[in-house]
Amino acid sequence: MREINEIIVHCTATPPNFMADATPAQRVDEVRRWHVEDNGWSDIGYHYLIDRGGQLLNGRPISKAGAHVKGHNSDTIGISLFGGKGGTKDQAFEDNFTPEQGETLRKLIGRLQSEYGLDLKISGHQEYANKACPCFDVRRWLNNRPVRTSAVQSTTLQASATAAVSGATGVATAVSALNGTAQIVIIAAACVGALALIWIMQERIKKWAAGDR
Ligand SMILES: [Zn+2]
């Protein structure tokens, strides 16, 4: 039995409606045909394939080294998801694949980890080749962390939220400052009014005392 140290995830780079009228097994046969007839390999290059509906399909037996990443086939397991045509490196899983595929991939990785150990490395083909495959960051997705594009969006949201809060704070500060000024004006006006009233009363009392009634 060969030693397994790593799982490498791929995509078939096919459109979502690839061989839509065929069965999942027929789609796997087509991929096998590319690898055997077109590439001249002994069998399909991947050990597992996951169809759009989430069906898990067997490729090459695990006991045999696959043909999916040059220089990394001897101790790895290759899993390929149907989809990903025209995809790019930094996309989110959901941009190219179905939730059912995600569920199956998580379960399969969990099963392989319990079989080969939790220190099994999980990678994407893009880490070993200048390719978009599998069109998402596998470890980020596994850890439920957002992809870079979403992170940028959330940073923008955070920035606008911060701006909104500081804007509101600024307005609140201005309002309280205005209130303070208004209060001072009112108090000052009240004081002036009271002094004027006292002065008028004093003048009247003086006049009254002087007999000018
Ligand atoms: Zn690949």
Side-chain angles (χ1 to χ4, degrees):
M1 196 66 188
R2 70 190 178 102
E3 197 184 309
I4 303 294
N5 294 313
E6 185 174 1
I7 293 170
I8 301 177
V9 179
H10 299 263
C11 67
T12 56
T14 48
N17 61 351
F18 171 67
M19 292 176 70
D21 297 330
T23 64
Q26 284 172 324
R27 281 187 280 276
V28 171
D29 283 344
E30 178 63 5
V31 176
R32 180 177 281 110
R33 198 184 63 74
W34 300 340
H35 290 177
V36 174
E37 291 179 23
D38 302 348
N39 298 1
W41 299 342
S42 62
D43 193 359
I44 190 167
Y46 313 119
H47 296 100
Y48 294 105
L49 293 97
I50 300 174
D51 202 38
R52 304 288 297 177
Q55 298 91 335
L56 178 64
L57 298 131
N58 292 316
R60 193 179 292 209
I62 294 283
S63 58
K64 296 201 170 119
H68 52 99
V69 181
K70 209 174 178 185
H72 295 270
N73 287 313
S74 64
D75 65 341
T76 61
I77 288 173
I79 304 170
S80 191
L81 302 157
F82 275 97
K85 186 172 176 67
T88 61
K89 223 173 170 162
D90 295 330
Q91 285 185 296
F93 181 90
E94 348 10 281
D95 291 338
N96 291 289
F97 308 105
T98 67
E100 290 81 4
Q101 285 180 298
E103 214 169 292
T104 303
L105 181 58
R106 278 185 199 279
K107 273 187 201 159
L108 177 60
I109 289 172
R111 205 185 83 196
L112 294 171
Q113 280 175 325
S114 62
E115 200 166 328
Y116 297 100
L118 283 171
D119 54 347
L120 204 57
K121 193 180 172 194
I122 318 286
S123 319
H125 189 183
Q126 57 181 225
E127 293 169 58
Y128 298 108
N130 189 22
K131 289 183 168 188
C133 180
C135 308
F136 66 101
D137 186 316
V138 181
R139 278 189 298 276
R140 269 183 182 275
W141 170 78
L142 263 183
N143 296 329
N144 275 321
R145 283 179 300 185
V147 294
R148 207 148 54 107
T149 47
S150 301
V152 168
Q153 280 165 1
S154 70
T155 306
T156 311
L157 280 176
Q158 276 176 0
S160 44
T162 307
V165 167
S166 60
T169 308
V171 169
T173 307
V175 165
S176 70
L178 277 177
N179 282 345
T181 308
Q183 279 172 357
I184 289 165
V185 167
I186 288 160
I187 289 162
C191 287
V192 168
L195 285 171
L197 198 63
I198 288 164
W199 181 79
I200 289 163
M201 289 303 284
Q202 275 179 339
E203 289 304 300
R204 284 200 176 177
I205 288 162
K206 275 183 199 164
K207 279 176 182 173
W208 179 79
D212 182 13
R213 296 183 186 130

